[in-house]
Amino acid sequence: MKPIKFTKEETKAIVGEIQDYFREELDQPIGAIPAEMLMMFFVDKMGAYFYNRGLYDAQALIRERMDSLTDEIFGLEQPTKHLR
């Protein structure tokens, strides 16, 4: 898996979310550098779990859509004397 990289804008937004969480939920201020370090910890140590979950969800969606398409294709089948 390629390393997960965020743009400067994404990093800034994530750091802001972390700072908001610490302030609102933990009543603790956290600076931008520690928040970014925490973000990088999660990216490095847990990013693959989130990435894989996204892949599993995408695979399930594709399977659902393929099943639906298969049903629709069978619905288009014309009657013949030949039985499958």
Side-chain angles (χ1 to χ4, degrees):
M1 177 179 119
K2 286 189 206 177
I4 298 171
K5 294 186 180 182
F6 296 105
T7 65
K8 285 183 182 182
E9 294 80 18
E10 290 169 327
T11 298
K12 186 176 178 179
I14 295 167
V15 165
E17 294 285 348
I18 292 169
Q19 289 177 305
D20 290 347
Y21 177 81
F22 269 72
R23 185 177 54 258
E24 294 167 10
E25 300 296 327
L26 304 175
D27 200 25
Q28 269 305 12
I30 184 172
I33 292 173
E36 188 169 345
M37 291 173 66
L38 182 59
M39 178 194 84
M40 291 311 300
F41 167 78
F42 278 102
V43 167
D44 292 342
K45 301 296 181 186
M46 290 166 227
Y49 292 101
F50 290 98
Y51 180 84
N52 289 345
R53 174 54 47 204
L55 291 178
Y56 303 151
D57 291 347
Q59 288 172 338
L61 178 64
I62 289 170
R63 265 192 301 277
E64 270 181 40
R65 296 280 168 90
M66 289 303 295
D67 288 345
S68 176
L69 285 173
T70 299
D71 292 344
E72 288 183 38
I73 290 170
F74 282 131
L76 297 173
E77 197 171 298
Q78 297 294 314
T80 63
K81 290 181 181 182
H82 172 72
L83 299 176
R84 280 214 258 165

Coordinates of all heavy atoms in Angstrom, one line a residue:
M1 N 0.8 -1.2 0.0 CA 0.0 0.0 0.0 C 0.9 1.2 0.0 O 1.9 1.3 0.7 CB -0.9 0.0 1.2 CG -1.8 1.2 1.4 SD -2.8 1.1 2.9 CE -2.2 2.5 3.7
K2 N 0.5 2.2 -0.8 CA 1.2 3.5 -0.8 C 1.0 4.2 0.5 O -0.1 4.1 1.0 CB 0.7 4.3 -2.0 CG 1.1 4.0 -3.3 CD 0.7 5.1 -4.3 CE 0.4 4.6 -5.7 NZ 0.0 5.7 -6.5
P3 N 1.9 5.0 0.9 CA 1.7 5.7 2.1 C 0.6 6.7 1.9 O 0.4 7.3 0.8 CB 3.0 6.5 2.3 CG 4.0 5.9 1.4 CD 3.3 5.1 0.4
I4 N -0.2 6.9 2.9 CA -1.3 7.9 2.8 C -0.8 9.3 3.0 O -0.1 9.6 3.9 CB -2.4 7.6 3.9 CG1 -3.0 6.2 3.7 CG2 -3.5 8.7 3.9 CD1 -3.9 5.7 4.9
K5 N -1.1 10.1 2.0 CA -0.6 11.5 2.0 C -1.8 12.4 1.9 O -2.7 12.2 1.1 CB 0.4 11.7 0.9 CG 1.7 11.0 1.1 CD 2.7 11.3 0.1 CE 4.0 10.5 0.3 NZ 5.1 10.8 -0.6
F6 N -1.8 13.5 2.6 CA -2.8 14.5 2.5 C -2.2 15.8 2.0 O -1.0 16.1 2.2 CB -3.4 14.8 3.9 CG -4.1 13.6 4.5 CD1 -3.6 12.8 5.5 CD2 -5.4 13.2 4.0 CE1 -4.2 11.7 6.0 CE2 -6.1 12.1 4.5 CZ -5.5 11.4 5.5
T7 N -3.0 16.6 1.3 CA -2.6 17.9 0.8 C -2.5 18.8 2.1 O -2.9 18.5 3.2 CB -3.6 18.5 -0.1 OG1 -4.9 18.8 0.6 CG2 -3.9 17.6 -1.3
K8 N -1.9 20.0 1.8 CA -1.7 20.9 2.9 C -3.1 21.3 3.5 O -3.3 21.5 4.7 CB -1.0 22.2 2.5 CG 0.5 22.0 2.3 CD 1.2 23.3 1.9 CE 2.6 23.1 1.7 NZ 3.3 24.3 1.4
E9 N -4.1 21.5 2.5 CA -5.4 21.9 2.9 C -6.1 20.8 3.7 O -6.8 21.1 4.7 CB -6.3 22.3 1.7 CG -5.8 23.5 0.9 CD -4.6 23.2 0.0 OE1 -4.3 22.1 -0.3 OE2 -4.0 24.2 -0.4
E10 N -5.9 19.6 3.3 CA -6.5 18.4 4.1 C -5.9 18.3 5.4 O -6.6 18.1 6.4 CB -6.3 17.1 3.3 CG -7.2 17.0 2.0 CD -6.8 15.9 1.1 OE1 -5.6 15.5 1.1 OE2 -7.7 15.3 0.5
T11 N -4.6 18.4 5.5 CA -3.9 18.4 6.8 C -4.4 19.5 7.7 O -4.6 19.2 8.9 CB -2.3 18.5 6.6 OG1 -1.9 17.4 5.8 CG2 -1.6 18.5 7.9
K12 N -4.5 20.7 7.2 CA -5.0 21.8 8.0 C -6.4 21.5 8.5 O -6.7 21.8 9.7 CB -4.9 23.1 7.2 CG -5.3 24.3 7.9 CD -5.1 25.6 7.1 CE -5.5 26.8 7.9 NZ -5.4 28.0 7.1
A13 N -7.2 21.0 7.7 CA -8.6 20.7 8.1 C -8.6 19.6 9.2 O -9.3 19.7 10.2 CB -9.4 20.2 6.9
I14 N -7.8 18.5 9.0 CA -7.8 17.4 10.0 C -7.2 17.9 11.3 O -7.7 17.6 12.4 CB -6.9 16.2 9.4 CG1 -7.6 15.6 8.2 CG2 -6.7 15.2 10.5 CD1 -6.7 14.7 7.4
V15 N -6.1 18.7 11.2 CA -5.6 19.3 12.4 C -6.6 20.1 13.2 O -6.7 20.0 14.4 CB -4.3 20.1 12.1 CG1 -3.9 21.0 13.3 CG2 -3.1 19.1 11.7
G16 N -7.4 20.9 12.4 CA -8.4 21.7 13.0 C -9.5 20.8 13.7 O -10.0 21.2 14.8
E17 N -9.8 19.7 13.1 CA -10.8 18.8 13.7 C -10.3 18.2 15.0 O -11.0 18.1 15.9 CB -11.1 17.7 12.7 CG -11.9 18.1 11.4 CD -13.3 18.4 11.7 OE1 -13.9 18.1 12.8 OE2 -13.9 19.0 10.8
I18 N -9.0 17.8 15.0 CA -8.4 17.3 16.2 C -8.4 18.4 17.3 O -8.7 18.1 18.4 CB -7.0 16.8 15.9 CG1 -7.0 15.5 15.0 CG2 -6.2 16.5 17.2 CD1 -5.7 15.1 14.4
Q19 N -8.0 19.6 16.9 CA -8.0 20.6 17.9 C -9.4 20.9 18.5 O -9.6 21.1 19.7 CB -7.4 21.9 17.3 CG -5.9 21.8 17.1 CD -5.3 23.0 16.4 OE1 -5.8 23.5 15.3 NE2 -4.3 23.6 17.0
D20 N -10.4 20.9 17.6 CA -11.8 21.1 18.0 C -12.2 20.0 19.0 O -12.8 20.2 20.0 CB -12.7 21.1 16.8 CG -12.6 22.4 16.0 OD1 -11.9 23.4 16.4 OD2 -13.1 22.4 14.9
Y21 N -11.8 18.8 18.7 CA -12.2 17.6 19.5 C -11.6 17.8 20.9 O -12.3 17.6 21.9 CB -11.8 16.3 18.9 CG -12.1 15.1 19.7 CD1 -13.3 14.6 19.8 CD2 -11.1 14.6 20.5 CE1 -13.6 13.5 20.6 CE2 -11.3 13.5 21.4 CZ -12.6 12.9 21.4 OH -12.9 11.9 22.2
F22 N -10.3 18.1 20.9 CA -9.6 18.2 22.2 C -10.3 19.3 23.1 O -10.5 19.2 24.3 CB -8.1 18.4 22.0 CG -7.3 17.2 22.0 CD1 -7.4 16.3 20.9 CD2 -6.5 16.8 23.1 CE1 -6.6 15.2 20.9 CE2 -5.7 15.7 23.0 CZ -5.8 14.8 22.0
R23 N -10.6 20.4 22.4 CA -11.1 21.6 23.1 C -12.6 21.3 23.6 O -12.9 21.5 24.7 CB -11.1 22.8 22.2 CG -11.6 24.1 22.9 CD -11.5 25.3 22.0 NE -12.2 25.2 20.7 CZ -11.6 24.9 19.5 NH1 -10.3 24.8 19.5 NH2 -12.3 24.7 18.4
E24 N -13.4 20.7 22.7 CA -14.8 20.5 23.0 C -15.1 19.3 23.9 O -15.9 19.3 24.8 CB -15.6 20.4 21.7 CG -15.6 21.7 20.9 CD -16.2 21.6 19.5 OE1 -16.7 20.5 19.2 OE2 -16.0 22.5 18.7
E25 N -14.4 18.2 23.6 CA -14.7 16.9 24.3 C -13.8 16.7 25.5 O -14.3 16.0 26.4 CB -14.6 15.7 23.3 CG -15.5 15.8 22.1 CD -17.0 15.7 22.5 OE1 -17.3 15.0 23.5 OE2 -17.8 16.4 21.8
L26 N -12.6 17.2 25.4 CA -11.7 16.9 26.5 C -11.3 18.1 27.3 O -10.6 18.0 28.3 CB -10.4 16.3 25.9 CG -10.5 15.0 25.1 CD1 -9.2 14.6 24.5 CD2 -11.1 13.9 25.9
D27 N -11.9 19.3 26.9 CA -11.6 20.5 27.6 C -10.1 20.8 27.7 O -9.6 21.2 28.8 CB -12.3 20.6 28.9 CG -12.5 22.0 29.5 OD1 -12.5 22.9 28.6 OD2 -12.6 22.2 30.7
Q28 N -9.4 20.4 26.7 CA -7.9 20.5 26.7 C -7.5 21.2 25.4 O -7.8 20.7 24.3 CB -7.3 19.1 26.7 CG -6.9 18.4 27.9 CD -6.0 19.2 28.9 OE1 -5.8 20.4 28.7 NE2 -5.5 18.5 29.8
P29 N -6.7 22.2 25.4 CA -6.2 22.8 24.2 C -5.1 21.9 23.7 O -4.4 21.3 24.5 CB -5.7 24.2 24.6 CG -5.4 24.0 26.0 CD -6.3 23.0 26.6
I30 N -4.9 21.9 22.4 CA -3.8 21.2 21.8 C -3.3 22.0 20.6 O -4.1 22.6 19.8 CB -4.2 19.7 21.3 CG1 -3.0 19.0 20.8 CG2 -5.3 19.8 20.3 CD1 -3.2 17.5 20.4
G31 N -2.0 22.2 20.5 CA -1.4 23.0 19.5 C -1.4 22.3 18.2 O -1.7 21.1 18.0
A32 N -1.1 23.1 17.1 CA -1.2 22.6 15.8 C -0.1 21.5 15.6 O -0.4 20.5 14.9 CB -1.0 23.7 14.8
I33 N 1.1 21.6 16.1 CA 2.1 20.6 15.9 C 1.8 19.3 16.6 O 1.9 18.3 16.0 CB 3.5 21.2 16.3 CG1 3.9 22.3 15.4 CG2 4.6 20.1 16.3 CD1 5.2 23.1 15.7
P34 N 1.4 19.4 17.9 CA 1.0 18.1 18.5 C -0.2 17.4 17.8 O -0.3 16.2 17.7 CB 0.6 18.5 19.9 CG 1.4 19.7 20.2 CD 1.4 20.4 18.9
A35 N -1.2 18.3 17.3 CA -2.3 17.7 16.6 C -1.9 17.1 15.3 O -2.4 16.0 15.0 CB -3.3 18.8 16.4
E36 N -1.0 17.7 14.6 CA -0.5 17.1 13.4 C 0.3 15.8 13.7 O 0.2 14.8 12.9 CB 0.4 18.0 12.6 CG 0.8 17.5 11.2 CD 1.4 18.6 10.3 OE1 1.3 19.8 10.6 OE2 2.0 18.1 9.3
M37 N 1.1 15.8 14.8 CA 1.8 14.6 15.2 C 0.8 13.4 15.5 O 1.0 12.3 15.1 CB 2.7 14.8 16.3 CG 3.9 15.7 16.0 SD 4.8 16.2 17.4 CE 5.5 14.7 17.9
L38 N -0.3 13.8 16.2 CA -1.3 12.8 16.5 C -1.9 12.3 15.2 O -2.2 11.0 15.0 CB -2.4 13.4 17.4 CG -3.5 12.4 17.9 CD1 -2.9 11.2 18.6 CD2 -4.5 13.2 18.7
M39 N -2.2 13.2 14.3 CA -2.8 12.8 13.0 C -1.8 11.8 12.3 O -2.3 10.7 11.8 CB -3.0 14.0 12.1 CG -3.5 13.6 10.7 SD -3.4 15.0 9.5 CE -1.7 14.8 8.9
M40 N -0.6 12.1 12.3 CA 0.4 11.2 11.6 C 0.5 9.9 12.3 O 0.7 8.9 11.6 CB 1.8 11.9 11.5 CG 1.8 13.1 10.6 SD 1.1 12.8 8.9 CE 2.1 11.5 8.3
F41 N 0.4 9.9 13.6 CA 0.4 8.6 14.3 C -0.8 7.7 13.8 O -0.6 6.6 13.5 CB 0.3 8.8 15.8 CG -0.1 7.6 16.6 CD1 0.9 6.7 16.9 CD2 -1.4 7.3 17.0 CE1 0.6 5.5 17.6 CE2 -1.7 6.2 17.7 CZ -0.7 5.2 18.0
F42 N -2.0 8.3 13.8 CA -3.1 7.5 13.3 C -3.0 7.1 11.8 O -3.3 6.0 11.5 CB -4.4 8.3 13.5 CG -4.9 8.2 14.9 CD1 -4.8 9.3 15.8 CD2 -5.6 7.1 15.3 CE1 -5.2 9.2 17.1 CE2 -6.1 7.0 16.6 CZ -5.9 8.0 17.5
V43 N -2.4 8.0 11.0 CA -2.2 7.6 9.6 C -1.2 6.5 9.5 O -1.5 5.5 8.8 CB -1.6 8.8 8.8 CG1 -1.1 8.4 7.5 CG2 -2.7 9.9 8.7
D44 N -0.1 6.5 10.3 CA 0.9 5.5 10.2 C 0.5 4.2 10.8 O 0.7 3.1 10.3 CB 2.2 5.9 10.9 CG 2.9 7.1 10.1 OD1 2.6 7.3 8.9 OD2 3.7 7.8 10.8
K45 N -0.2 4.2 11.9 CA -0.5 3.0 12.7 C -1.9 2.5 12.4 O -2.1 1.2 12.5 CB -0.4 3.3 14.2 CG 0.9 3.8 14.7 CD 2.0 2.7 14.5 CE 3.3 3.2 15.0 NZ 4.4 2.3 14.7
M46 N -2.8 3.3 12.0 CA -4.2 2.8 11.8 C -4.8 3.1 10.4 O -5.9 2.6 10.1 CB -5.1 3.4 12.8 CG -4.8 2.8 14.2 SD -5.6 3.7 15.5 CE -4.2 3.9 16.6
G47 N -4.0 3.8 9.6 CA -4.5 4.2 8.3 C -4.9 3.0 7.4 O -5.9 3.0 6.7
A48 N -4.1 1.9 7.5 CA -4.4 0.8 6.7 C -5.7 0.1 7.1 O -6.4 -0.4 6.2 CB -3.2 -0.3 6.9
Y49 N -6.1 0.2 8.4 CA -7.4 -0.4 8.8 C -8.5 0.4 8.1 O -9.5 -0.2 7.6 CB -7.5 -0.3 10.3 CG -6.6 -1.2 11.0 CD1 -5.4 -0.7 11.6 CD2 -6.8 -2.6 11.2 CE1 -4.6 -1.5 12.3 CE2 -6.0 -3.4 11.9 CZ -4.8 -2.9 12.5 OH -4.0 -3.7 13.1
F50 N -8.4 1.7 8.1 CA -9.5 2.5 7.5 C -9.5 2.3 6.0 O -10.6 2.2 5.4 CB -9.3 4.0 7.9 CG -9.6 4.3 9.3 CD1 -8.6 4.4 10.2 CD2 -10.9 4.4 9.7 CE1 -8.8 4.6 11.6 CE2 -11.2 4.7 11.1 CZ -10.2 4.8 12.0
Y51 N -8.3 2.3 5.4 CA -8.2 2.1 4.0 C -8.8 0.7 3.6 O -9.6 0.6 2.6 CB -6.7 2.1 3.6 CG -6.4 1.9 2.1 CD1 -6.5 3.0 1.2 CD2 -6.1 0.7 1.6 CE1 -6.2 2.8 -0.1 CE2 -5.8 0.5 0.3 CZ -5.9 1.6 -0.6 OH -5.6 1.4 -1.9
N52 N -8.5 -0.3 4.3 CA -9.0 -1.7 4.0 C -10.5 -1.7 4.2 O -11.2 -2.3 3.4 CB -8.3 -2.7 4.9 CG -6.9 -3.0 4.5 OD1 -6.4 -2.5 3.4 ND2 -6.1 -3.6 5.3
R53 N -11.0 -1.0 5.2 CA -12.5 -1.0 5.4 C -13.2 -0.4 4.2 O -14.2 -0.8 3.7 CB -12.8 -0.3 6.7 CG -14.3 0.0 7.0 CD -15.2 -1.3 6.9 NE -14.6 -2.4 7.7 CZ -15.0 -3.6 7.4 NH1 -15.8 -4.0 6.5 NH2 -14.4 -4.6 8.2
G54 N -12.6 0.7 3.7 CA -13.1 1.3 2.5 C -13.1 0.4 1.3 O -14.0 0.4 0.5
L55 N -12.0 -0.4 1.1 CA -12.0 -1.4 0.1 C -13.0 -2.4 0.2 O -13.7 -2.8 -0.7 CB -10.6 -2.0 0.0 CG -9.4 -1.2 -0.4 CD1 -8.1 -2.0 -0.4 CD2 -9.6 -0.6 -1.8
Y56 N -13.2 -2.9 1.4 CA -14.2 -4.0 1.7 C -15.6 -3.4 1.4 O -16.4 -4.1 0.8 CB -14.2 -4.5 3.1 CG -12.9 -5.0 3.6 CD1 -12.5 -4.9 4.9 CD2 -12.0 -5.6 2.7 CE1 -11.3 -5.4 5.4 CE2 -10.8 -6.1 3.1 CZ -10.4 -6.0 4.5 OH -9.2 -6.5 4.9
D57 N -15.9 -2.2 1.8 CA -17.2 -1.6 1.5 C -17.4 -1.4 0.0 O -18.5 -1.7 -0.5 CB -17.3 -0.2 2.2 CG -17.4 -0.4 3.7 OD1 -17.6 -1.5 4.2 OD2 -17.3 0.7 4.4
A58 N -16.3 -1.0 -0.7 CA -16.4 -0.8 -2.2 C -16.7 -2.2 -2.8 O -17.5 -2.3 -3.8 CB -15.2 -0.2 -2.7
Q59 N -16.0 -3.2 -2.4 CA -16.2 -4.6 -2.9 C -17.6 -5.1 -2.7 O -18.2 -5.6 -3.6 CB -15.2 -5.6 -2.3 CG -13.8 -5.4 -2.8 CD -12.8 -6.3 -2.0 OE1 -13.1 -6.7 -0.8 NE2 -11.6 -6.5 -2.5
A60 N -18.1 -4.8 -1.6 CA -19.5 -5.2 -1.3 C -20.5 -4.5 -2.2 O -21.4 -5.1 -2.7 CB -19.9 -5.0 0.2
L61 N -20.3 -3.2 -2.4 CA -21.1 -2.4 -3.3 C -21.1 -2.9 -4.7 O -22.1 -3.1 -5.4 CB -20.7 -0.9 -3.2 CG -21.5 0.0 -4.1 CD1 -23.0 0.0 -3.7 CD2 -20.9 1.4 -4.1
I62 N -19.9 -3.2 -5.2 CA -19.7 -3.7 -6.5 C -20.4 -5.1 -6.7 O -21.1 -5.3 -7.7 CB -18.2 -3.8 -6.9 CG1 -17.6 -2.4 -7.1 CG2 -18.0 -4.7 -8.2 CD1 -16.1 -2.4 -7.2
R63 N -20.3 -6.0 -5.6 CA -20.9 -7.3 -5.7 C -22.5 -7.1 -5.8 O -23.1 -7.7 -6.6 CB -20.6 -8.1 -4.4 CG -19.5 -9.1 -4.7 CD -19.3 -10.1 -3.5 NE -19.1 -9.5 -2.2 CZ -17.9 -9.1 -1.8 NH1 -16.8 -9.2 -2.5 NH2 -17.8 -8.5 -0.6
E64 N -23.0 -6.2 -5.0 CA -24.4 -5.9 -5.0 C -24.9 -5.4 -6.4 O -25.9 -5.9 -6.9 CB -24.8 -4.8 -4.0 CG -25.1 -5.2 -2.6 CD -25.5 -4.0 -1.7 OE1 -26.1 -3.0 -2.2 OE2 -25.0 -4.0 -0.6
R65 N -24.1 -4.5 -6.9 CA -24.5 -3.9 -8.2 C -24.4 -5.0 -9.3 O -25.2 -5.1 -10.2 CB -23.6 -2.8 -8.6 CG -23.7 -1.6 -7.7 CD -24.9 -0.7 -8.0 NE -25.3 0.2 -7.0 CZ -24.8 1.5 -6.9 NH1 -24.0 1.9 -7.8 NH2 -25.2 2.3 -6.0
M66 N -23.3 -5.9 -9.2 CA -23.2 -6.9 -10.2 C -24.3 -7.9 -10.1 O -24.8 -8.4 -11.2 CB -21.8 -7.6 -10.0 CG -20.6 -6.8 -10.5 SD -20.7 -6.2 -12.2 CE -20.6 -7.8 -13.0
D67 N -24.7 -8.3 -8.9 CA -25.9 -9.2 -8.7 C -27.1 -8.5 -9.4 O -27.9 -9.2 -10.0 CB -26.1 -9.5 -7.3 CG -25.1 -10.4 -6.7 OD1 -24.3 -11.0 -7.5 OD2 -25.0 -10.5 -5.4
S68 N -27.3 -7.3 -9.1 CA -28.5 -6.6 -9.7 C -28.4 -6.5 -11.2 O -29.5 -6.8 -11.9 CB -28.5 -5.1 -9.1 OG -29.6 -4.4 -9.7
L69 N -27.3 -6.3 -11.8 CA -27.1 -6.3 -13.2 C -27.4 -7.6 -13.8 O -28.0 -7.8 -14.8 CB -25.7 -5.8 -13.6 CG -25.5 -4.3 -13.5 CD1 -24.0 -4.0 -13.7 CD2 -26.4 -3.5 -14.4
T70 N -26.9 -8.7 -13.1 CA -27.1 -10.0 -13.6 C -28.6 -10.4 -13.6 O -29.0 -10.9 -14.6 CB -26.3 -11.0 -12.7 OG1 -24.9 -10.7 -12.7 CG2 -26.5 -12.5 -13.1
D71 N -29.3 -10.0 -12.6 CA -30.7 -10.2 -12.6 C -31.4 -9.4 -13.7 O -32.3 -10.0 -14.4 CB -31.3 -9.7 -11.2 CG -30.9 -10.6 -10.1 OD1 -30.4 -11.7 -10.3 OD2 -31.1 -10.2 -8.9
E72 N -31.0 -8.2 -13.9 CA -31.6 -7.4 -15.0 C -31.3 -8.0 -16.4 O -32.2 -8.1 -17.3 CB -31.1 -6.0 -15.0 CG -31.7 -5.2 -13.8 CD -31.3 -3.8 -13.8 OE1 -31.2 -3.2 -14.9 OE2 -31.0 -3.2 -12.7
I73 N -30.1 -8.6 -16.6 CA -29.7 -9.2 -17.8 C -30.6 -10.4 -18.0 O -31.1 -10.7 -19.1 CB -28.2 -9.5 -17.9 CG1 -27.4 -8.2 -18.0 CG2 -27.9 -10.4 -19.1 CD1 -26.0 -8.3 -17.9
F74 N -30.7 -11.3 -17.0 CA -31.6 -12.4 -17.1 C -33.0 -12.0 -17.5 O -33.7 -12.7 -18.2 CB -31.6 -13.3 -15.8 CG -30.4 -14.1 -15.7 CD1 -29.6 -14.2 -14.5 CD2 -29.9 -15.0 -16.7 CE1 -28.5 -14.9 -14.4 CE2 -28.8 -15.7 -16.6 CZ -28.1 -15.7 -15.4
G75 N -33.5 -10.9 -16.9 CA -34.8 -10.4 -17.2 C -35.0 -10.0 -18.7 O -36.1 -10.0 -19.2
L76 N -33.9 -9.8 -19.4 CA -34.0 -9.4 -20.8 C -34.0 -10.6 -21.7 O -34.3 -10.5 -22.9 CB -32.7 -8.6 -21.2 CG -32.6 -7.2 -20.5 CD1 -31.3 -6.6 -20.9 CD2 -33.8 -6.3 -20.9
E77 N -33.7 -11.8 -21.1 CA -33.6 -13.0 -21.9 C -35.0 -13.3 -22.6 O -36.1 -13.2 -22.0 CB -33.3 -14.2 -21.0 CG -32.8 -15.4 -21.7 CD -32.2 -16.4 -20.7 OE1 -31.2 -16.1 -20.1 OE2 -32.8 -17.5 -20.7
Q78 N -34.9 -13.7 -23.9 CA -36.1 -14.0 -24.7 C -36.4 -15.5 -24.5 O -35.5 -16.3 -24.4 CB -35.9 -13.7 -26.1 CG -35.6 -12.2 -26.4 CD -36.9 -11.4 -26.1 OE1 -38.0 -11.7 -26.5 NE2 -36.7 -10.3 -25.3
P79 N -37.7 -15.9 -24.5 CA -38.0 -17.3 -24.4 C -37.6 -18.1 -25.7 O -37.7 -17.6 -26.8 CB -39.5 -17.3 -24.2 CG -40.0 -15.9 -24.7 CD -38.8 -15.0 -24.6
T80 N -37.1 -19.2 -25.4 CA -36.8 -20.2 -26.6 C -37.2 -21.6 -26.1 O -37.6 -21.8 -25.0 CB -35.2 -20.2 -26.8 OG1 -34.6 -20.7 -25.7 CG2 -34.7 -18.8 -27.2
K81 N -37.1 -22.5 -27.1 CA -37.4 -23.9 -26.8 C -36.3 -24.5 -26.0 O -36.5 -25.6 -25.4 CB -37.6 -24.7 -28.1 CG -38.9 -24.2 -28.8 CD -39.1 -25.0 -30.0 CE -40.4 -24.5 -30.7 NZ -40.7 -25.3 -31.9
H82 N -35.1 -24.0 -26.0 CA -33.9 -24.5 -25.3 C -34.0 -24.1 -23.9 O -34.2 -22.9 -23.5 CB -32.6 -24.0 -26.0 CG -31.4 -24.3 -25.2 ND1 -30.9 -25.6 -25.1 CD2 -30.6 -23.5 -24.4 CE1 -29.8 -25.5 -24.3 NE2 -29.6 -24.3 -23.9
L83 N -33.9 -25.0 -23.0 CA -33.9 -24.7 -21.6 C -32.4 -24.7 -21.1 O -31.6 -25.5 -21.5 CB -34.7 -25.8 -20.8 CG -36.1 -26.0 -21.1 CD1 -36.7 -27.1 -20.3 CD2 -36.9 -24.7 -20.8
R84 N -32.2 -23.9 -20.2 CA -30.8 -23.8 -19.7 C -30.6 -24.8 -18.6 O -31.3 -25.1 -17.8 CB -30.6 -22.4 -19.0 CG -30.3 -21.4 -20.0 CD -29.4 -20.4 -19.5 NE -30.0 -19.1 -19.1 CZ -29.3 -18.3 -18.3 NH1 -28.1 -18.6 -17.9 NH2 -29.8 -17.2 -18.0

